[in-house]
């Protein structure tokens, strides 16, 4: 098993104004002369915690991380206006150009895998490789499984807490019911819904429930951005033109070296999505972790991701 690399500090932190409204926080760490790689975090709305740096050899990689619109240290916080998949794809390109990087490897898990696919299919000439984890393509069956019915059969105790803020009469469409509350002018209603939504994901992300992760997801500031932005994207179907857009456009990235890492018992992003991507994109290396759920910090997934970044560093 590979251990995480030691936690390093960024050698550069700054903000990039990407629109009249939004400014995104970014950082660079590792080796300024190393191979460029950009990390696309999950959520949407999750932000980049410092431990993400530990998945990359500090002497080989020039690691770029940024908080997507409305979350982490980016401003304004929890903002839904001018916040779409294609705004984020544009931000990635603006950041690449701002940093003077011609091409880079793209690393993304969960929603980060969604955004990685959307970005690479829009700008394939800028991608030298893809490392994807916990595949999520923001399709109706994926949203229904986790937010309406499916995961509830595995985590009924956590599900009971998730549905509490929603009256029984509105539970036939949980995403719509949550969106109503997460965009309420009443901040108390917003926060109650945000914490329940966020803790549901924190409760189900690992094969073995992690109380510390639940606590992090229940933090008011984190939950407000995470829940509001996620629900905003989900009610808008990811702003995609069609249901299977990312699968249908695989031909655009078929030539790009790629590794897909998937936990067998991922409840948040069930393996069927990774499997369907694998079937459509047989050229990509497909790794199933037999004893893991969704979180990148689970031992088997962590090991596979570090192996992947080490492999691509020398590719």
């Amino acid at each position: 098993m590979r251990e995480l690399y030691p936690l390093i500090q960024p050698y550069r932190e700054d903000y990039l104004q990407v629109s009249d409204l939004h400014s995104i926080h970014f950082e660079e760490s590792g080796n300024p002369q190393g191979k460029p790689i950009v990390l696309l975090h999950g959520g949407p709305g999750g932000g980049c915690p410092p431990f993400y740096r530990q998945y990359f050899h500090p002497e080989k990689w020039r690691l770029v991380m940024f908080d997507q619109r409305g979350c982490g240290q980016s401003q304004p916080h929890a903002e839904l206006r001018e916040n779409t998949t294609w705004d984020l794809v544009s931000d990635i390109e603006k950041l690449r150009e701002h940093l003077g990087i011609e091409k880079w490897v793209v690393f993304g898990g969960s929603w980060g895998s969604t955004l990685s696919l959307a970005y690479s299919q829009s700008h394939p000439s800028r991608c030298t490789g893809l490392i994807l984890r916990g595949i999520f393509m923001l399709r109706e069956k994926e949203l229904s499984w986790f937010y309406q019915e499916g995961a509830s059969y595995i985590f009924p105790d956590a599900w009971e807490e998730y549905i509490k803020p929603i009256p029984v009469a509105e539970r036939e469409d949980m995403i719509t019911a949550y969106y109503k509350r997460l965009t309420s002018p009443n901040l108390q209603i917003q926060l109650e819904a945000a914490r329940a939504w966020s803790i549901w994901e924190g409760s189900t992300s690992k094969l073995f429930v992690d109380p510390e992760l639940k606590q992090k997801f229940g933090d008011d500031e984190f939950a407000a951005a995470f829940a509001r932005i996620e629900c905003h994207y989900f009610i808008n179907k990811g702003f995609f033109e069609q249901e299977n857009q990312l699968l249908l456009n695989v031909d655009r990235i078929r030539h790009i070296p790629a590794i897909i890492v998937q936990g067998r018992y991922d409840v948040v992003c069930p393996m069927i999505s990774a499997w369907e991507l694998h079937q459509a994109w047989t050229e990509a290396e497909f790794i199933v972790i037999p004893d893991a759920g969704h979180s990148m910090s689970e031992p088997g997934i962590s090991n596979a991701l570090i192996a992947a970044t080490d492999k691509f560093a020398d590719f």
Side-chain angles (χ1 to χ4, degrees), residues 159-168 170-171 174 177-178 181 189 192-197:
W159 180 261
E160 186 174 323
E161 296 302 313
Y162 164 70
I163 63 176
K164 269 185 181 179
I166 309 301
V168 174
E170 296 183 54
R171 290 179 185 173
M174 293 292 289
Y178 259 103
R181 287 155 181 81
I189 291 174
E192 179 192 18
R195 293 188 74 253
W197 173 286

Side-chain angles (χ1 to χ4, degrees), residues 47-66:
C48 287
F51 82 89
Y52 282 3
R53 304 176 201 135
Q54 295 182 260
Y55 289 78
F56 307 89
H57 194 302
E59 295 177 6
K60 295 182 178 180
W61 288 108
R62 176 186 177 184
L63 173 62
V64 179
M65 303 200 309
F66 73 99

Side-chain angles (χ1 to χ4, degrees), residues 247-293:
L247 272 181
L248 294 172
N249 288 338
V250 161
D251 281 347
R252 297 183 183 180
I253 58 173
R254 195 174 297 281
H255 63 287
I256 300 174
I259 296 175
I260 299 168
V261 177
Q262 178 69 37
R264 168 74 71 181
Y265 299 107
D266 189 336
V267 171
V268 181
C269 298
M271 185 173 148
I272 185 64
S273 294
W275 180 253
E276 289 172 351
L277 180 62
H278 164 60
Q279 288 183 310
W281 189 12
T282 55
E283 295 84 356
E285 184 179 351
F286 184 53
I287 301 170
V288 177
I289 309 303
D291 57 352

Side-chain angles (χ1 to χ4, degrees), residues 160-278:
E160 186 174 323
E161 296 302 313
Y162 164 70
I163 63 176
K164 269 185 181 179
I166 309 301
V168 174
E170 296 183 54
R171 290 179 185 173
E172 290 185 2
D173 188 346
M174 293 292 289
I175 289 178
T176 297
Y178 259 103
Y179 186 73
K180 176 182 174 182
R181 287 155 181 81
L182 291 167
T183 56
S184 169
N186 185 318
L187 294 181
Q188 185 175 348
I189 291 174
Q190 263 197 43
L191 187 57
E192 179 192 18
R195 293 188 74 253
W197 173 286
S198 187
I199 290 171
W200 164 239
E201 186 161 332
S203 301
T204 54
S205 287
K206 290 188 175 183
L207 190 60
F208 300 104
V209 177
D210 182 346
E212 290 185 7
L213 188 63
K214 284 179 62 177
Q215 184 176 1
K216 175 203 167 186
F217 274 66
D219 174 78
D220 289 354
E221 184 174 4
F222 176 87
F226 187 76
R228 276 172 51 83
I229 296 172
E230 275 200 337
C231 197
H232 166 69
Y233 273 70
F234 298 166
I235 204 164
N236 287 289
K237 311 302 181 189
F239 304 94
F240 293 120
E241 294 177 2
Q242 50 188 319
E243 170 80 355
N244 282 312
Q245 183 168 333
L246 297 177
L247 272 181
L248 294 172
N249 288 338
V250 161
D251 281 347
R252 297 183 183 180
I253 58 173
R254 195 174 297 281
H255 63 287
I256 300 174
I259 296 175
I260 299 168
V261 177
Q262 178 69 37
R264 168 74 71 181
Y265 299 107
D266 189 336
V267 171
V268 181
C269 298
M271 185 173 148
I272 185 64
S273 294
W275 180 253
E276 289 172 351
L277 180 62
H278 164 60

Side-chain angles (χ1 to χ4, degrees), residues 16-23 69 75-76 81-82 94:
L16 178 65
Q17 195 76 36
V18 290
S19 77
D20 290 341
L21 179 60
H22 286 276
S23 178
R69 295 189 183 200
Q75 298 294 332
R81 292 173 295 166
E82 297 179 20
K94 288 175 182 176

